[in-house]
Amino acid sequence: MSIAFTFPGQGSQAVGMGKDLADAFPEAAAVFAEVDDALGEKLSDTIWNGPEETLILTANAQPALMAVSIAVIRVLEARGLDLGSKVSFVAGHSLGEYSALCAAGTFSLADTARLLGIRGNAMQAAVLVGKGAMAAIIGLEHDDVEAVCREASSLGACQIANDNGGGQLVISGEKQAVEKAAALATEKGAKRALMLPVSAPFHSSLMAPAAEAMREALAKVEKRDPVVPVVANVLAAPVSDAGEVARLLVEQVTGQVRWRETVQWFAANDVTTLYEIGSGKVLTGLARRIDKTVNGIAVNTPADIDAALAALLA
């Protein structure tokens, strides 16, 4: 029986997130100040005061979500939590993998903020606006969704971007192909096939220029082996080598976020509790749908931190 920390991805952001942490804990306030310094801008002002349309921009949302997650980690650590001895694994959903790696000591906080700034800008710039699209397919099995993507790919790139579990998959690629795949999914019996209001086709082959930008950026930063293994998005298996971590982060830009398999791997390897560290409760909800033997607990408020410490340090 062991514990894993998971870290949320894009979509979990909300104006005002982390403000109660920064007000209550100096360690949390210091994280937001360091991220601001690393980026050379007052991202904290956007996080706490909006406007929402600025916060949700990919280049802002990614480091913002990471900052909230690491603020929680720094508070937990300041109050006695030793990640290496209390937590068996870490994992993060898409950009959350960077938060997980920062928490596990692979990257410094400043480098993580800069890497996510680069990643957000590169992903946004990789595809002309309007050329790509993403859609959520609800109520079809993975193999069926893969089949409709294959059929639609005659019109352009189309692939599974996220396997979130609970019958929820997200597809990504060229707009025409994604629309065709969504229509085919409906014909095959999907409960819903919903085009998503996103600015780029994330986790698709169209992101290749962004993957190259991350290869260059990751080659330049100092990396340490994580103090606990990270269960990588593209493998749904643990990795402990810093060089392998960097290679998989490059692959992740165009590859599938295998979150269903990640939670299933946790369940098969005696992880009984997943603490979701950072904004929102998306991963906690997904864990519940994927495997009911795994207990999900969201940690993002001062009260949540108190409760988590009481359990973790017992």
Side-chain angles (χ1 to χ4, degrees), residues 6-8 32 64-74 99 277-279:
T6 64
F7 297 81
F32 291 103
L65 283 161
M66 181 277 297
V68 177
S69 290
I70 301 304
V72 174
I73 288 290
R74 295 288 184 262
S99 307
I277 307 296
S279 180

Side-chain angles (χ1 to χ4, degrees), residues 1 29-31 34 43 76-77 90 98 137-138 144 156 189 213 244 247 287:
M1 290 170 59
V31 167
E34 188 173 341
L43 182 63
L76 291 171
E77 290 176 333
V90 294
Y98 286 80
I137 310 298
I138 313 295
D144 291 328
E244 179 77 347
R247 186 184 70 75

Side-chain angles (χ1 to χ4, degrees), residues 13-133:
Q13 69 275 353
V15 172
M17 63 182 183
K19 183 72 166 68
D20 54 350
L21 299 175
D23 289 344
F25 305 112
E27 301 86 3
V31 167
F32 291 103
E34 188 173 341
V35 169
D36 284 351
D37 287 346
L39 296 175
E41 61 175 293
K42 286 284 284 184
L43 182 63
S44 59
D45 185 56
T46 302
I47 297 171
W48 296 332
N49 302 310
E52 186 182 15
E53 55 267 27
T54 303
L55 178 61
I56 64 173
L57 294 173
T58 300
N60 292 333
Q62 296 198 14
L65 283 161
M66 181 277 297
V68 177
S69 290
I70 301 304
V72 174
I73 288 290
R74 295 288 184 262
V75 175
L76 291 171
E77 290 176 333
R79 277 145 188 78
L81 177 74
D82 177 60
L83 195 77
S85 64
K86 290 291 184 182
V87 177
S88 298
F89 304 98
V90 294
H93 193 285
S94 192
L95 83 90
E97 193 156 273
Y98 286 80
S99 307
L101 289 162
C102 181
T106 295
F107 303 124
S108 72
L109 175 58
D111 280 342
T112 309
R114 285 189 285 263
L115 284 169
L116 285 172
I118 293 166
R119 184 177 184 267
N121 281 318
M123 290 170 94
Q124 197 58 65
V127 180
L128 290 172
V129 174
K131 185 172 187 251

Side-chain angles (χ1 to χ4, degrees), residues 178-294:
V178 170
E179 288 173 341
K180 175 67 171 174
L184 289 168
T186 302
E187 289 171 18
K188 274 190 175 280
K191 291 176 187 170
R192 292 183 77 190
L194 182 69
M195 300 302 292
L196 297 175
V198 294
S199 53
F202 304 126
H203 297 290
S204 77
S205 60
L206 300 180
M207 290 283 112
E212 198 50 47
M214 292 317 298
R215 189 189 313 279
E216 292 175 16
L218 286 158
K220 294 173 186 170
V221 300
E222 184 182 351
K223 296 173 280 290
R224 297 185 183 88
D225 292 344
V227 297
V228 294
V230 57
V231 180
N233 282 184
V234 296
L235 287 183
V239 182
S240 296
D241 175 75
E244 179 77 347
V245 161
R247 186 184 70 75
L248 293 172
L249 285 175
V250 173
E251 196 177 312
Q252 188 224 64
V253 178
T254 57
Q256 184 182 147
V257 177
R258 296 166 61 182
W259 197 254
R260 172 182 56 85
E261 294 168 88
T262 295
V263 174
Q264 289 172 337
W265 187 91
F266 283 139
N269 287 274
D270 298 322
V271 174
T272 54
T273 306
L274 300 179
Y275 284 91
E276 181 176 3
I277 307 296
S279 180
K281 299 180 179 181
V282 170
L283 301 182
T284 300
L286 292 179
R288 196 173 295 123
R289 292 206 295 270
I290 294 165
D291 193 311
K292 296 211 168 18
T293 67
V294 178

